[in-house]
Amino acid sequence: MRPALPARAVEPGPAGSPVSPAGPAARLGSTLSLRGAEERGDAGFPPLDSLFDPFVRSARGESQKGGSMGYAETMRLRAGQAVREIGADDDTDDEIRDDVRRVTGRELLDDTSEEVADAVLWWWREGDGDLVSELTDEAGPLVEGGSIWVLTPRQGKPGHIPVLEMAELADDAGLRVRVATPLGSWTGHDLYRP
């Protein structure tokens, strides 16, 4: 007669529930499926490039759809402020533009305006040119301490620029990133002169 084999240990899972006998392989598979969800930006996970980025701020709970803050409030814009818009094209988000006009009570200044702006709303896509020289030369008159909001397509969209790359480009232009935050299908990078 053969000796009895020892019973296979079952590891406890969350709240004492048993884990599948597949053990570590099953846990690795679920981790990989979560990672895939993060990379796709679904299942409520942020994109991976934002997980380890100190500049990224989540707009969760501040959503313009049913939340307490709209796009312009997230960008800290206020009534009466002048906002210069640069790089508008067919792909720009009219909801963001309309919300900026609603909050400031003003039309957006175009890129040829000589009026001193309180902020710049700059639509930028990878391939639009040399962002460093554009930031240095084309921002126009801006109040001291004013923000240059560079909006780039979100991860997974054509023209996306990773947040850390944007921080390097800003640094090369003598600017710093105060924060990066999701704004609709765009990522807003709040740049300032130190």
Side-chain angles (χ1 to χ4, degrees):
M1 180 159 113
R2 285 191 196 161
L5 295 173
R8 183 172 178 162
V10 176
E11 300 174 40
S17 63
V19 172
S20 158
R27 289 192 302 278
L28 178 60
S30 65
T31 301
L32 290 177
S33 66
L34 289 176
R35 181 175 301 267
E38 291 171 342
E39 289 171 349
R40 291 186 306 274
D42 57 12
F45 293 102
L48 282 179
D49 74 340
S50 70
L51 290 177
F52 304 105
D53 192 325
F55 302 112
V56 175
R57 176 180 71 190
S58 172
R60 195 176 308 271
E62 303 175 51
S63 170
Q64 65 286 349
K65 301 276 192 249
S68 61
M69 290 177 58
Y71 296 120
E73 289 94 349
T74 298
M75 297 165 67
R76 294 180 321 282
L77 298 175
R78 296 181 311 276
Q81 288 188 311
V83 178
R84 177 175 293 104
E85 182 179 43
I86 301 173
D89 206 345
D90 294 339
D91 63 346
T92 55
D93 189 330
D94 287 334
E95 286 185 32
I96 295 173
R97 299 172 83 222
D98 291 343
D99 196 54
V100 169
R101 284 191 285 261
R102 177 189 62 79
V103 167
T104 62
R106 298 183 58 163
E107 286 299 314
L108 297 169
L109 304 173
D110 66 25
D111 57 354
T112 61
S113 173
E114 291 300 318
E115 183 177 343
V116 176
D118 297 291
V120 175
L121 179 63
W122 203 320
W123 305 94
W124 190 267
R125 305 133 199 99
E126 185 173 45
D128 276 359
D130 181 3
L131 182 59
V132 174
S133 65
E134 293 282 330
L135 285 170
T136 305
D137 301 333
E138 303 297 326
L142 185 65
V143 298
E144 185 156 334
S147 291
I148 300 172
W149 280 91
V150 178
L151 276 62
T152 61
R154 297 266 306 262
Q155 183 175 356
K157 306 275 185 193
H160 169 72
I161 300 173
V163 173
L164 291 176
E165 184 178 333
M166 178 59 69
E168 290 174 12
L169 293 168
D171 189 57
D172 290 346
L175 302 169
R176 299 291 180 269
V177 177
R178 183 176 290 127
V179 70
T181 189
L183 297 169
S185 60
W186 295 78
T187 298
H189 308 265
D190 181 8
L191 309 183
Y192 69 98
R193 289 186 175 96

